[in-house]
Amino acid sequence: MDTSRGREKKKVVRRLYKKWHPDKNIGNEDFAKKVCQFLQQIVFKLESGQDIDSESSSTFEPSTGSNFYSHFRTWDRDAKHDSNRNKRRRGRRGGGSGHSRRQPSEPVPSCHESRQWIRQAKVHLTGAMKFLPKADIGPNFNSICMICYQSVEIALKAVYYRTDANNIPETKNISELVARLDGDLKPLVEKLATLVGKPERMIYPDKLNIPKIPSQMYSEDTATRAVEVTKTILDFISDRTLS
């Protein structure tokens, strides 16, 4: 567990375990307990070389010989401490004894998940590039533009995972996603957003005036430029942000 890959795995397990700890899921403790127990079982099975798809025991007990055993115990204490602290804060606010300033949680970068997301973004782009020569059938240039838009969305979220895996924006709007990121990225992303428009316009006919449909609104030139801009964005993120 001393390798960089081992440390990365530990961060991911820690984030999931603390997210689903019963003390952090008030009102849903039973389900959260099962999730945490399942996570422990998977970790211990992987450590011991067991098949993770084998049936799990309902009377599972963590192994004290596991590299993660002490970590799970520490995270249990941390979750209990956080829960008690939050209760005290709520009590102070409820009692009118003054405002309790909320402390931001510690960022949890996840390089492993970041690489996972950028890989998928590149697969999207590759698909768009291979589909482009055949997109005149239909035509389907709007689909090329949509794939490019999604590719950039996924790539931008890869950047967020690299910074803090606990703070991934839910929005799919690339302009909103890039707003808090590297300033040099913004003009590139905005160039694509301006070129292809809102994603709804690329898919749904009710976003256009009757009788037009999205496939009529996008040309081969637009799709080609969308692919080029998307490639530039992904190269930028891979070389300057995730390297």
Side-chain angles (χ1 to χ4, degrees):
M1 293 298 295
D2 292 331
T3 65
S4 59
R5 186 173 179 82
R7 289 192 295 270
E8 187 67 29
K9 288 181 179 179
K10 177 184 172 183
K11 288 180 181 179
V12 174
V13 174
R14 174 182 180 272
R15 178 165 58 84
L16 290 172
Y17 191 76
K18 295 191 74 172
K19 176 181 179 180
W20 285 103
H21 197 280
D23 287 325
K24 287 182 172 286
N25 289 270
I26 306 303
N28 199 24
E29 292 91 342
D30 289 343
F31 179 75
K33 182 178 180 181
K34 291 178 181 178
V35 172
C36 285
Q37 189 178 65
F38 176 76
L39 182 59
Q40 290 187 50
Q41 290 184 38
I42 293 298
V43 169
F44 295 146
K45 282 182 178 181
L46 288 173
E47 284 188 319
S48 59
Q50 299 180 44
D51 180 6
I52 63 173
D53 293 325
S54 61
E55 185 174 352
S56 299
S57 171
S58 59
T59 58
F60 167 77
E61 289 293 336
S63 170
T64 57
S66 165
N67 291 324
F68 270 88
Y69 182 82
S70 61
H71 295 316
F72 283 128
R73 302 289 75 78
T74 299
W75 298 336
D76 283 337
R77 291 193 297 270
D78 290 346
K80 175 68 71 175
H81 174 74
D82 291 343
S83 177
N84 291 336
R85 181 177 58 187
N86 290 335
K87 288 179 182 178
R88 290 194 297 270
R89 287 177 176 174
R90 288 194 296 269
R92 287 197 297 269
R93 286 197 294 270
S97 57
H99 176 69
S100 176
R101 186 175 182 181
R102 184 178 181 182
Q103 298 296 324
S105 59
E106 180 183 354
V108 182
S110 178
C111 296
H112 178 72
E113 288 173 286
S114 178
R115 288 192 293 269
Q116 180 187 28
W117 280 69
I118 195 65
R119 279 174 52 209
Q120 183 58 53
K122 291 179 178 179
V123 169
H124 267 55
L125 176 59
T126 299
M129 295 171 70
K130 290 184 177 180
F131 183 32
L132 183 58
K134 305 175 183 178
D136 58 333
I137 302 174
N140 278 297
F141 295 118
N142 61 308
S143 298
I144 300 293
C145 293
M146 187 66 213
I147 294 172
C148 289
Y149 192 98
Q150 290 177 323
S151 177
V152 170
E153 176 209 339
I154 294 169
L156 291 173
K157 288 186 177 179
V159 180
Y160 279 94
Y161 272 103
R162 184 64 176 262
T163 305
D164 185 2
N166 283 337
N167 189 25
I168 310 299
E170 294 184 3
T171 182
K172 297 181 180 180
N173 186 300
I174 60 176
S175 296
E176 294 176 3
L177 285 170
V178 79
R180 289 184 284 164
L181 299 178
D182 191 315
D184 292 337
L185 256 178
K186 292 179 182 179
L188 293 173
V189 174
E190 288 302 332
K191 183 177 181 179
L192 179 67
T194 301
L195 178 64
V196 302
K198 295 182 179 180
E200 295 85 356
R201 186 172 178 270
M202 293 180 258
I203 304 174
Y204 304 115
D206 63 348
K207 302 303 178 182
L208 304 172
N209 294 327
I210 298 175
K212 293 181 179 179
I213 59 175
S215 66
Q216 295 176 300
M217 304 303 296
Y218 293 83
S219 66
E220 181 177 3
D221 178 65
T222 300
T224 300
R225 286 191 289 152
V227 167
E228 293 172 351
V229 175
T230 299
K231 185 178 185 307
T232 301
I233 293 171
L234 266 59
D235 288 344
F236 181 98
I237 290 175
S238 297
D239 296 340
R240 295 183 54 180
T241 307
L242 302 183
S243 58

